[in-house]
Amino acid sequence: MPTLRDVLLDRTGLGPEQVEWLHLLVGDWQLLSDLSFADLVLWVPDREGGWIAAAHVRPTTGPMVFVEDMVGLHQENTQRPGITQAYADRRIVREGEPRWREAMPIREEAIPVVREGHPIAVLTRHTNLSTMRTPSRLEVTYLATADALARMVAAGDFPTAGAPTGRRRGAPRVGDGVIRLDVAGTVTYASPNAVSAVHRLGHGGEVVGARLEQLVTGAVREQEPVDETLGMVLTGREPWRTEVQNRGVSVTFRAIPLSETGQRTGALVLLRDVSELRRRERELLTKDATIREIHHRVKNNLQTVAALLRLQSRRMTDPQARLALDEAVRRVGTIALVHETLSQGFDETVDFDEIAVRALQAAVEVATRDAPVSGRHTGSFGRLRAEDATALAMVMAELVHNAVEHGLAAVGGSVTVDARRGSDGADELLTVTVSDDGVGLPEGFDEATSGLGVQIVTSLVQDLRGSITWSAAKPRGTCVRFVARLRSVRGE
């Protein structure tokens, strides 16, 4: 199924500003659909001389009309005379007799979408009349507001380009609460959900007939922070959003100014009680802060262990014992490096390239000064889960250390770490190659009977569900390549 962008760019001759205007309209037209209790279909003139449906939305407040999606449907001018007339005359056209669709009487209206005085598309509104009854005051207000918005679309006054949107999470919808204001900011109608939200903020009196700005600001305690845009939103003068907090209750407000022939006639205000949403957000922030603090403390504890091992190493007279303790210090430091990086982030993933560069630099810096050694990192590790990062850091640190200590210590040279991300369809794969131009592998090298470092690497690669190979590099040196199967980071 084509997207709105596909249809607008591939099937029409609309310019960039006109395309952006239609994107703004579709981004906000759920509001019009819900107030109308009707399906909306956006029709744009295509290059073939007819009309093509570029977008379709269904109401959440009433029965839908089209079960199937209308996007991509092509219609000739003769099939849609109302659309053609609305486009040519720049006025709303309502068909006289209802259309029948699957035993449902459907009323259709065509609303021209105007941008800077020129029609660029047509919006059709399809209402299922089979469920119509004597409308309540809520339904009358919704329909009257929808008609006002439709006239603004036809006049090029809706949507509002460049309006600041504020925070999107928790944005109010029609079903959450609707307030209608007159030009002075007085409440002429408030839905039951809207009244409940205002009462939860602390206002105990009537809502209808009062000025919304006064009753909200009067209920908010002085010590509560107030958004500087609050007055403009609660009077309906600007198409902005704001949020009010009081007594542990958070309510978001969104204002949509209404106008007729360029003159402001009032406003529609949507509001939503987001207290539970904000509480969960605070819990998540607290959890994230706790996790980062745990990683920070683990890093500090590991550094303390490394310092104690380093002190113990200095007291050793046996060279082999001192070497073993120094290697333990290096390995503990590698794990601490991963936890340090995790303590600075906001989730349980790390950008491993930073760890790789630091580990490579550390290995090069401790190399013997008699034979200069350089390090190079190519490719990218990308972001990794914490479980994979710790094992991978250990593997890479061991391989780089071995390359510097055994391959390059006597002759000098360079060590290169290359990382490539890929996929085999089922898992994310990481291929890492550590190569040097040193003396190469010793005669009769067998990973199964090699030292502790090689055994650690082999075990950790198995934990990563991977494989590893050692081989001679050309023209000289050693090449170690391993492939790891990574845990997905998409859910993080």
Side-chain angles (χ1 to χ4, degrees):
M1 179 184 298
T3 64
L4 173 62
R5 181 179 178 83
D6 294 336
V7 174
L8 296 181
L9 296 183
D10 299 339
R11 303 287 296 275
T12 74
L14 297 175
E17 292 185 358
Q18 296 170 327
V19 169
E20 179 61 25
W21 185 259
L22 294 180
H23 277 291
L24 285 174
L25 175 63
V26 170
D28 217 13
W29 70 343
Q30 185 68 60
L31 166 68
L32 179 57
S33 176
D34 289 343
L35 289 170
S36 302
F37 308 100
D39 284 46
L40 301 180
V41 181
L42 178 66
W43 298 89
V44 291
D46 65 10
R47 293 191 175 97
E48 300 174 6
W51 299 93
I52 184 170
H56 175 204
V57 66
R58 301 175 180 89
T60 61
T61 53
M64 70 181 73
V65 172
F66 302 110
V67 176
E68 70 281 7
D69 204 302
M70 301 290 287
V71 176
L73 179 65
H74 180 269
Q75 299 277 272
E76 300 294 340
N77 287 331
T78 55
Q79 295 174 286
R80 290 286 180 177
I83 295 178
T84 304
Q85 184 179 1
Y87 186 85
D89 298 343
R90 285 189 301 166
R91 65 180 180 87
I92 299 175
V93 176
R94 175 181 293 185
E95 295 187 357
E97 295 295 329
R99 290 173 176 249
W100 286 85
R101 177 183 176 84
E102 298 179 359
M104 290 187 301
I106 307 301
R107 183 179 65 212
E108 294 190 1
E109 296 170 90
I111 305 163
V113 180
V114 175
R115 167 67 170 159
E116 295 182 345
H118 301 285
I120 60 175
V122 175
L123 199 65
T124 54
R125 182 162 55 170
H126 308 262
T127 306
N128 184 350
L129 300 178
S130 62
T131 59
M132 295 299 290
R133 52 183 172 77
T134 302
S136 64
R137 189 181 179 195
L138 179 147
E139 293 168 329
V140 170
T141 303
Y142 279 20
L143 293 172
T145 306
D147 289 341
L149 287 175
R151 291 192 294 271
M152 291 174 63
V153 171
D157 297 330
F158 185 84
T160 305
T165 58
R167 70 173 87 191
R168 298 292 301 182
R169 185 169 172 82
R173 301 156 296 190
V174 169
D176 297 320
V178 170
I179 288 178
R180 189 68 191 266
L181 303 180
D182 63 14
V183 71
T186 302
V187 178
T188 60
Y189 174 79
S191 69
N193 285 345
V195 173
S196 297
V198 172
H199 285 170
R200 281 194 287 272
L201 274 177
H203 175 73
E206 291 292 330
V207 174
V208 177
R211 288 177 57 88
L212 181 61
E213 179 186 21
Q214 292 178 353
L215 64 86
V216 171
T217 55
V220 176
R221 297 175 180 175
E222 293 183 0
Q223 63 267 27
E224 296 288 349
V226 176
D227 193 332
E228 61 183 9
T229 64
L230 182 64
M232 302 300 287
V233 174
L234 297 183
T235 56
R237 295 181 178 274
E238 294 293 342
W240 292 342
R241 289 185 175 90
T242 190
E243 185 166 326
V244 177
Q245 298 179 351
N246 190 40
R247 305 190 309 173
V249 176
S250 298
V251 176
T252 59
F253 292 84
R254 180 198 174 187
I256 302 99
L258 302 177
S259 63
E260 197 79 42
T261 63
Q263 298 295 318
R264 192 170 66 88
T265 59
L268 172 71
V269 177
L270 305 179
L271 60 159
R272 177 184 178 186
D273 185 342
V274 292
S275 305
E276 284 303 305
L277 180 62
R278 297 292 178 253
R279 183 184 64 81
R280 290 196 296 270
E281 288 177 346
R282 289 192 294 270
E283 288 180 350
L284 288 174
L285 288 174
T286 303
K287 177 183 176 183
D288 289 342
T290 302
I291 291 174
R292 291 198 300 274
E293 178 64 20
I294 289 172
H295 284 302
H296 181 71
R297 294 189 182 188
V298 170
K299 182 262 297 184
N300 289 343
N301 290 339
L302 289 172
Q303 289 179 337
T304 301
V305 171
L308 293 174
L309 290 174
R310 194 176 294 111
L311 288 173
Q312 187 68 34
S313 171
R314 292 170 183 171
R315 294 177 176 270
M316 286 292 175
T317 57
D318 185 343
Q320 293 296 326
R322 177 177 294 180
L323 178 61
L325 286 176
D326 289 342
E327 290 186 348
V329 169
R330 175 177 55 79
R331 288 162 183 153
V332 171
T334 300
I335 300 174
L337 178 60
V338 176
H339 284 281
E340 180 183 5
T341 306
L342 286 167
S343 70
Q344 298 169 354
F346 290 92
D347 55 31
E348 284 296 284
T349 67
V350 296
D351 182 357
F352 197 82
D353 289 299
E354 178 185 349
I355 296 175
V357 170
R358 292 176 63 180
L360 184 58
Q361 290 174 344
V364 170
E365 288 173 359
V366 299
T368 175
R369 300 299 179 184
D370 297 334
V373 174
S374 63
R376 189 165 65 101
H377 168 44
T378 60
S380 176
F381 288 89
R383 296 199 70 83
L384 305 179
R385 293 279 294 271
E387 305 94 310
D388 292 336
T390 301
L392 185 62
M394 290 288 292
V395 172
M396 203 199 76
E398 289 292 334
L399 294 178
V400 171
H401 177 76
N402 286 343
V404 172
E405 186 73 17
H406 303 294
L408 304 173
V411 298
S414 64
V415 56
T416 301
V417 176
D418 179 76
R420 305 290 170 181
R421 290 289 285 265
S423 174
D424 63 355
D427 295 307
E428 293 186 50
L429 301 180
L430 174 66
T431 302
V432 180
T433 304
V434 180
S435 58
D436 65 75
D437 54 2
V439 299
L441 293 170
E443 288 289 336
F445 172 79
D446 184 359
E447 60 183 272
T449 58
S450 295
L452 177 62
V454 174
Q455 294 178 24
I456 290 175
V457 167
T458 302
S459 175
L460 290 173
V461 169
Q462 290 176 352
D463 291 343
L464 291 169
R465 300 177 297 156
S467 59
I468 186 169
T469 57
W470 278 264
S471 62
K474 295 181 180 181
R476 65 191 180 94
T478 304
C479 177
V480 184
R481 178 176 287 108
F482 68 90
V483 179
R485 294 183 178 273
L486 304 177
R487 298 170 176 87
S488 175
V489 298
R490 294 173 185 171
E492 292 294 331

